[in-house]
Amino acid sequence: MSLRPVLVNMKALDDSAVGHFWAEALGWRVAGEEPGATAVQPLGFDWLDPVTVCVDVIAVPEPRTTTKNRVHLDLATTSTAHQAELVARLRALGATPVQVGQGDVPWTVLSDPEGNEFCVLEPREVYRDTGPIAAVVVDCVDPRAMARFWDEAVDWTLHEVTDDQAVLRSAKGIGPYLEFLRTPGVKTVPDRVHLDLVPAPGDDKAAEVARLRALGATDLDLGQGDVPWTCLTDPEGHEFCVLARS
């Protein structure tokens, strides 16, 4: 029994505008546009057998609050010149520099057109083969507790656990990392960005949801009604969804 991260789900007032921004930012394509949903994927992506994650931007009526997102993307670069070029290109696309208390650091913190923070990292060898998304980063109080839950929840490999961070990645050694960073404060508002998971072939979604509840996940009612996915929260309250395969 296993689950795989498949989507980075972003909320937006204007899903089309934000989706097209991220398609340009990542060098991917807008793979589908429906009323209220814009899918951004690399060429050849198969969501039923994901070896990376894609981005889905979903329209919501609520604007983003001024509270910093506790889930964000880190983007990879291959050289200092590439980092500078990417930052300039993203700013031309509508990204804005933002201060989140980072101080003097070698990476650049930006926000997308609706204020969702993300980082353009300086070149790091560990991210050289991840593709454009180096990591999905989750702020948390206790990385060790997050490692215990997420290592059991998904079929990715746990690479590192300390008091300050926990790091997972696909067992195939490709695609982005999933990182939990110890961060001051606690979650106070719903996540504007979250992960969606999909069962492996042959695995039963209901059984996987029951397994997650036994690990410490909690059911989440967002008024979603009768939908084919299940909304849950992890032990620190970060929302995520388990999708049906059909």
Side-chain angles (χ1 to χ4, degrees):
M1 302 178 75
S2 63
L3 290 161
R4 303 172 185 181
V6 62
L7 301 176
V8 177
N9 186 303
M10 296 186 180
K11 302 295 190 294
L13 294 173
D14 186 340
D15 64 282
S16 180
V18 173
H20 280 268
F21 168 85
W22 280 103
E24 292 288 340
L26 300 172
W28 292 354
R29 64 192 181 100
V30 173
E33 285 193 85
E34 302 175 0
T38 301
V40 178
Q41 300 176 358
L43 189 65
F45 180 82
D46 180 1
W47 79 272
L48 291 177
D49 186 24
V51 293
T52 182
V53 297
C54 65
V55 173
D56 254 18
V57 185
I58 305 299
V60 294
E62 304 84 10
R64 184 186 179 279
T65 70
T66 57
T67 302
K68 175 184 175 293
N69 286 341
R70 290 185 70 82
V71 181
H72 73 268
L73 298 182
D74 281 353
L75 304 190
T77 63
T78 57
S79 67
T80 54
H82 179 212
Q83 183 186 16
E85 182 276 331
L86 181 56
V87 168
R89 186 168 65 84
L90 292 167
R91 293 188 66 175
L93 289 171
T96 305
V98 62
Q99 285 292 326
V100 292
Q102 68 267 28
D104 184 16
V105 293
W107 59 88
T108 300
V109 184
L110 301 172
S111 63
D112 73 14
E114 289 202 7
N116 298 302
E117 303 91 352
F118 64 97
C119 298
V120 181
L121 302 180
E122 77 284 4
R124 302 183 193 181
E125 185 63 32
V126 67
Y127 299 133
R128 187 162 293 276
D129 62 352
T130 60
I133 300 177
V136 180
V137 182
V138 183
D139 295 347
C140 67
V141 174
D142 187 347
R144 291 186 184 277
M146 289 295 94
R148 286 192 293 271
F149 174 82
W150 283 95
D151 186 35
E152 293 290 336
V154 299
D155 71 350
W156 284 15
T157 300
L158 185 62
H159 284 262
E160 179 183 356
V161 185
T162 69
D163 289 342
D164 293 320
Q165 68 175 3
V167 179
L168 298 95
R169 195 187 190 195
S170 167
K172 296 181 179 179
I174 50 179
Y177 289 80
L178 175 60
E179 300 179 354
F180 296 90
L181 299 185
R182 186 166 65 87
T183 307
V186 296
K187 186 175 181 296
T188 57
V189 298
D191 291 330
R192 200 75 173 172
V193 181
H194 71 256
L195 279 175
D196 287 346
L197 313 178
V198 66
D203 285 347
D204 178 70
K205 173 179 167 288
E208 287 296 291
V209 169
R211 184 175 65 84
L212 292 169
R213 292 183 184 122
L215 292 172
T218 303
D219 288 290
L220 177 66
D221 185 356
L222 297 169
Q224 65 267 26
D226 185 16
V227 292
W229 59 88
T230 300
C231 300
L232 301 167
T233 61
D234 73 13
E236 286 201 10
H238 297 102
E239 299 90 352
F240 66 96
C241 295
V242 179
L243 308 181
R245 289 186 61 85
S246 58

